[in-house]
Each structure stands twice: as C-alpha cells, then as structure tokens.
C-alpha cells in the first residue's frame, strides 16, 4: 500500500525518531527547492500554471521569516503583479485570496508613489506621518478605503470595498484579500471589529476581554419589540416580523457556532440584548470537543448578521 498523508503525519508526531524525521525534512526541503527551480525556469508555465497551488510556497517562506532574496525571483514578481492587477480590477489567472506580500511590496501595489515613505514610517513606527499619507489619499485623491491601527500597534487593517488586507507590522508582511486564513491574534480580532463597527454599526458596543475574547453587544429596543407580532406572521405581516420568526433563530445558531458564548436577555430598560463573546476559536458545537478556528470569512458572516439587526431593528427605531 502506498504512503498516504496520515502516515507521514503520524510519523512526524512520534518523538521516537528524531534522526529519521530530520532526514525526512531534508528530503522535503530538497524537493521544494527542485520544484521551484524547475517552475521558475519555465516562465510560461510559471505564469499560467505554477507547480504549487496559487504559489503557496511563497507564503511558506514569508510566514517563516525568510527574506525576498530567499524567494524565486520571477515567481514572486508574478505573484506581486497578480495581487496588483486584482486590486486594479484587471484580468487575473486566479483570484489571489489569502495572498502574502512583504510589506514594502504591499505598499508598492496599493500605495504606489508613497511606498518608500510608508515603508520608512512603518519601520520607525511613525504612524502619525503614515496616517497623513492615508488621509490625503482618502480626502484629496478620491481613493475609497478605510483603515485602522490596532491598539498595540502590531497590525493595520485596510478595507477596500469588500476586501480586507492586514499589515503585520512586526513581522514585516501583509495578508491581501483575507478570506480563509485563520485570525490568530486577539488584538487583530478587536481591530477588525472596531473597523467594521465604525463603518456599519457605530452604536454597537465593543469590549476587549484580555486573553479571552471580544464582547459584542447590540440591542433590539423595547419600542421595536412591542411592534413585533406575538404570533407566527402571515404573508401580510412586516418583514421584521418574518425575520424574527423565520430567520432569527437560524442566525442565532450560526452566531453560536463562531462564539465562545452567546447570551440573550431583557435588560432593565426592557430592551432585548444580544451579547456575543467572539474569540479566535469557538468552544465547539453541540458538546463536541472539536473547536473551530475563526476565519476572516466567518467574521464577515457575523458582521452581516449584526448589521442586519442594527439596521432593521435599531436604526429604524431611533
């Protein structure tokens, strides 16, 4: 029977064979180097159909602290250009979701003309000067994006329409078109929540619970609750009635899948309060031990539900 992936995984988990595991890693490293060399030499193939899916071996090097000099030069150049073309809404071979770039190249793609200044300011953590460049682009050059620096200055989050990009400041790289990647840092999670709240639901209350989670609290005001039908709605009833009766329970179930904790209660003012504790991983579903790591796409789903509650039940009231 041929070797399968789980066979290798089990072997690597076993602590009994350190020398053999080292040899296996060397074989893998040599295979990767040979593959990248072959792929880079055939430039037409590299552009149209790289030998690693969506050039993930570039991310492997970036995430492990290797510099641009350790990357296959031609392949990385193509990768950077694909991110740029997608940003400019031009035709690309594939959508560069979850694409990593060195920070200087991220600035070159998204803020060309100011990228050298931005690289210098970020290296010195002179975010006041960097913010002047971003604000000038927003206010005077009609560029449509939002940005936020997280509380401890470790991340800067950029939102262009529906796309999210994250600058990992200490690690000197950026994640472009964040989608399926996991959110591995609570500071980053809180920053994402603050940015989306500022844009879409500013009255929703946010609170960081250190080393644990982000608390998100929204309400359905008492006056709105009193207008909702107490019986199952008919075709003539309002959209809000139909939402509460037919959609809201399933959305609460969705929220519970990505929450460490969810509470629904009536406060002292008789408002219905929905309080979520969102962490970088959930506590599992239906008493299962498997935990779910929070991804950017999951957080977007959470925000969509909160925005609907905020827009349909809070904004209409005030």
């Amino acid at each position: 029977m041929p070797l399968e992936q789980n066979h290798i995984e089990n072997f690597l988990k076993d602590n009994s064979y350190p020398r053999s595991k080292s040899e296996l890693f060397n074989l893998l490293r040599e295979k990767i180097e040979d593959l990248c060399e072959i792929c880079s030499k055939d430039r037409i193939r590299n552009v149209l159909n790289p030998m690693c899916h969506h050039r993930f071996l570039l991310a492997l090097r970036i995430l492990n602290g290797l510099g641009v000099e350790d990357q296959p030069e031609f392949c990385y150049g193509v990768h950077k250009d694909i991110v740029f073309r997608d940003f400019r809404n031009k035709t690309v071979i594939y959508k560069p979701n979850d694409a990593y770039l060195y920070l200087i190249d991220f600035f070159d793609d998204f803020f060309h003309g100011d990228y050298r200044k931005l690289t210098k300011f970020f290296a010195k953590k002179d975010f006041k000067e960097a913010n002047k460049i971003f604000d000038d682009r927003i206010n005077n050059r009609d560029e449509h994006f939002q940005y936020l620096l997280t509380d401890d200055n470790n991340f800067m989050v950029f939102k262009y329409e529906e796309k999210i990009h994250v600058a990992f400041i200490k690690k000197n790289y950026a994640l472009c078109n964040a989608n399926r990647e996991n959110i591995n840092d609570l500071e980053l999670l809180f920053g994402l929540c603050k940015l989306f709240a500022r844009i879409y639901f500013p009255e929703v209350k946010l609170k960081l619970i250190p080393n644990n989670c982000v608390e998100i609290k929204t309400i359905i005001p008492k006056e709105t609750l009193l207008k909702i039908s107490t019986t199952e709605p008919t075709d003539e009833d309002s959209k809000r009635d139909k939402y509460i009766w037919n959609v809201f329970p399933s959305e609460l179930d969705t929220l519970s899948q990505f929450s460490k904790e969810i509470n629904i209660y009536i406060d002292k003012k008789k408002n219905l309060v929905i309080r979520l504790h969102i962490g970088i991983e959930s506590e599992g579903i239906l008493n299962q031990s498997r935990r779910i790591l929070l991804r950017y796409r999951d957080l977007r789903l959470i925000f969509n539900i909160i925005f609907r509650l905020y827009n349909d039940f809070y904004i209409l009231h005030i």
Side-chain angles (χ1 to χ4, degrees):
M1 182 176 68
L3 281 173
E4 296 179 359
Q5 179 177 322
N6 65 300
H7 299 150
I8 298 174
E9 288 177 351
N10 292 335
F11 179 77
L12 293 176
K13 290 176 183 177
D14 192 327
N15 295 322
S16 303
Y17 310 100
R19 183 173 179 178
S20 298
K21 285 196 285 188
S22 178
E23 185 175 347
L24 179 59
F25 282 126
N26 286 333
L27 289 171
L28 178 59
R29 179 174 52 81
E30 291 171 6
K31 177 65 175 176
I32 290 173
E33 290 176 352
D34 290 343
L35 182 143
C36 287
E37 183 177 357
I38 294 169
C39 188
S40 293
K41 285 181 178 179
D42 188 346
R43 295 196 168 190
I44 295 177
R45 176 174 184 171
N46 186 285
V47 171
L48 299 178
N49 187 26
M51 295 176 71
C52 64
H53 181 67
H54 289 188
R55 307 177 196 276
F56 78 89
L57 290 176
L58 298 176
L60 176 65
R61 295 181 176 93
I62 293 174
L63 293 174
N64 283 282
L66 300 183
V68 68
E69 67 277 3
D70 300 306
Q71 298 281 12
E73 182 179 358
F74 179 77
C75 183
Y76 181 74
V78 173
H79 174 66
K80 178 187 172 187
D81 186 58
I82 288 174
V83 174
F84 174 75
R85 289 181 62 84
D86 180 69
F87 170 56
R88 295 298 183 184
N89 295 315
K90 297 181 179 180
T91 302
V92 290
I93 300 296
Y94 58 85
K95 286 293 183 181
N97 293 326
D98 302 313
Y100 286 91
L101 289 174
Y102 295 105
L103 205 51
I104 186 173
D105 297 314
F106 170 73
F107 290 142
D108 190 19
D109 270 2
F110 288 81
F111 305 100
H112 185 72
D114 292 312
Y115 79 98
R116 294 188 187 277
K117 291 180 181 179
L118 287 170
T119 303
K120 180 181 70 174
F121 292 148
F122 270 66
K124 294 180 177 180
K125 292 197 171 183
D126 188 352
F127 300 114
K128 183 177 180 180
E129 290 301 316
N131 291 349
K132 289 180 181 178
I133 293 176
F134 298 138
D135 292 341
D136 176 66
R137 284 176 170 264
I138 293 170
N139 298 324
N140 300 320
R141 304 192 209 178
D142 199 29
E143 294 188 18
H144 303 289
F145 68 94
Q146 302 266 1
Y147 72 96
L148 181 140
L149 179 67
T150 60
D151 291 344
D152 292 333
N153 298 344
N154 289 318
F155 308 93
M156 186 172 281
V157 183
F158 299 87
K159 185 176 186 300
Y160 285 83
E161 297 180 348
E162 297 304 312
K163 294 180 179 180
I164 292 294
H165 317 288
V166 181
F168 291 72
I169 297 167
K170 279 188 176 181
K171 297 180 179 179
N172 201 36
Y173 60 69
L175 171 63
C176 307
N177 306 320
N179 185 31
R180 292 178 177 271
E181 289 286 88
N182 297 325
I183 302 171
N184 292 318
D185 192 286
L186 197 58
E187 178 190 344
L188 173 57
L189 174 59
F190 190 42
L192 288 162
C193 291
K194 289 202 297 183
L195 178 61
F196 273 79
R198 188 178 76 194
I199 300 170
Y200 296 114
F201 35 84
E203 279 84 15
V204 168
K205 294 182 179 179
L206 302 177
K207 178 182 177 182
L208 177 64
I209 301 176
N211 303 315
N212 189 351
C213 64
V214 175
E215 181 179 279
I216 304 175
K217 187 188 295 185
T218 187
I219 67 168
I220 298 179
K222 176 183 70 174
E223 291 79 5
T224 304
L225 283 175
L226 293 174
K227 296 177 182 177
I228 296 173
S229 173
T230 57
T231 59
E232 190 167 352
T234 64
D235 292 339
E236 291 76 25
D237 287 321
S238 70
K239 290 183 178 180
R240 285 192 293 177
D241 286 346
K242 294 176 182 178
Y243 172 79
I244 288 294
W245 277 87
N246 301 326
V247 180
F248 187 52
S250 64
E251 294 201 335
L252 285 177
D253 182 61
T254 298
L255 289 173
S256 69
Q257 294 182 35
F258 302 111
S259 303
K260 294 172 71 69
E261 183 180 329
I262 180 169
N263 301 109
I264 303 174
Y265 59 92
I266 302 294
D267 66 11
K268 294 179 181 179
K269 297 180 179 180
K270 302 299 179 67
N271 302 314
L272 180 67
V273 180
I274 303 162
R275 184 176 65 192
L276 308 174
H277 283 178
I278 306 296
I280 57 178
E281 63 179 25
S282 73
E283 295 296 334
I285 304 174
L286 299 177
N287 299 319
Q288 296 179 11
S289 59
R290 181 176 66 88
R291 298 189 175 199
I292 295 180
L293 298 176
L294 186 68
R295 301 172 297 178
Y296 290 89
R297 62 187 298 177
D298 302 327
L299 192 60
R300 190 183 300 277
L301 177 60
I302 294 170
F303 291 154
N304 286 342
I305 295 173
I306 294 171
F307 174 71
R308 182 166 184 173
L309 289 169
Y310 174 79
N311 193 60
D312 291 352
F313 293 90
Y314 183 83
I315 288 295
L316 290 180
H317 164 68
I318 62 174

